[in-house]
Amino acid sequence: SSARHIIAVEPLLYRRTVAASGAFGATAATAPGQAALEAVRTVAPRGADVVLEMVGHNQETINEALDLVKSGGTVVAFGVPDDPVYHFHFEKFFRKNVVLMASVYPDPGVDFPEAVELLERGQFDTEGIITHSFPLSEIQKAFSTATEYQDNVIKVALEL
């Protein structure tokens, strides 16, 4: 079955606006923190069934995911950690009986052919996701654009 409510939590207003337009499948978009908690509680008073943490490089996002998920719900951590040890609200995780799953990397032999097939069949559209493209010779500019969120970037592609 598919999700009825998909709430994008995004700190950058321009990205939140894109997400709220439904371009990426979200049914709503909100800022992090209290606004996210209120947005989730509006459609799911007990909390979200599943929360995807896709930020990484930030210790608070995994804990915010624990705030948003319902008791017995699932948090999937895609975000890449910077530190070997995180301040993690273990008591909240334990008392809510949350399932925590890590998802580190794709299996290129399986996932990439499936992704290409979805693209070829038109079942996944990259329109709006890849907002900037650079030749490999401009890799530094590509990284700067992406990491500094320049020019309303969503995702950057390198041309090989």
Side-chain angles (χ1 to χ4, degrees):
S1 76
S2 61
R4 283 183 287 163
H5 303 285
I6 300 172
I7 301 171
V9 179
E10 170 58 57
L12 299 174
L13 178 59
Y14 78 89
R15 290 175 132 199
R16 203 163 50 241
T17 301
V18 171
S21 75
F24 307 128
T27 55
T30 184
Q34 187 63 33
L37 190 58
E38 291 170 10
V40 169
R41 296 292 187 250
T42 298
V43 296
R46 295 181 349 186
D49 294 328
V50 178
V51 176
L52 305 178
E53 189 287 320
M54 299 185 286
V55 178
H57 313 290
N58 178 327
Q59 291 196 21
E60 280 311 306
T61 55
I62 193 71
N63 290 313
E64 185 168 345
L66 291 176
D67 292 338
L68 300 176
V69 73
K70 73 178 185 179
S71 292
T74 300
V75 171
V76 182
F78 289 96
V80 178
D82 287 335
D83 303 310
V85 177
Y86 266 37
H87 176 75
F88 179 69
H89 297 170
F90 185 78
E91 183 181 19
K92 185 177 290 184
F93 162 75
F94 180 81
R95 296 210 183 278
K96 288 180 86 171
N97 196 31
V98 171
V99 174
L100 178 62
M101 296 175 61
S103 182
V104 179
Y105 55 88
D107 179 343
V110 173
D111 298 326
F112 289 166
E114 288 180 14
V116 169
E117 185 177 328
L118 288 172
L119 289 168
E120 288 174 341
R121 288 195 319 240
Q123 290 183 282
F124 185 81
D125 184 10
T126 61
E127 182 74 30
I129 295 174
I130 299 172
T131 55
H132 294 71
S133 184
F134 295 92
L136 189 56
S137 62
E138 294 182 23
I139 191 168
Q140 189 56 51
K141 183 176 180 184
F143 276 105
S144 295
T145 299
T147 60
E148 296 169 16
Y149 301 103
Q150 298 172 1
D151 193 31
N152 291 343
V153 67
I154 303 290
K155 293 293 179 186
V156 170
L158 289 173
E159 302 162 2
L160 301 178

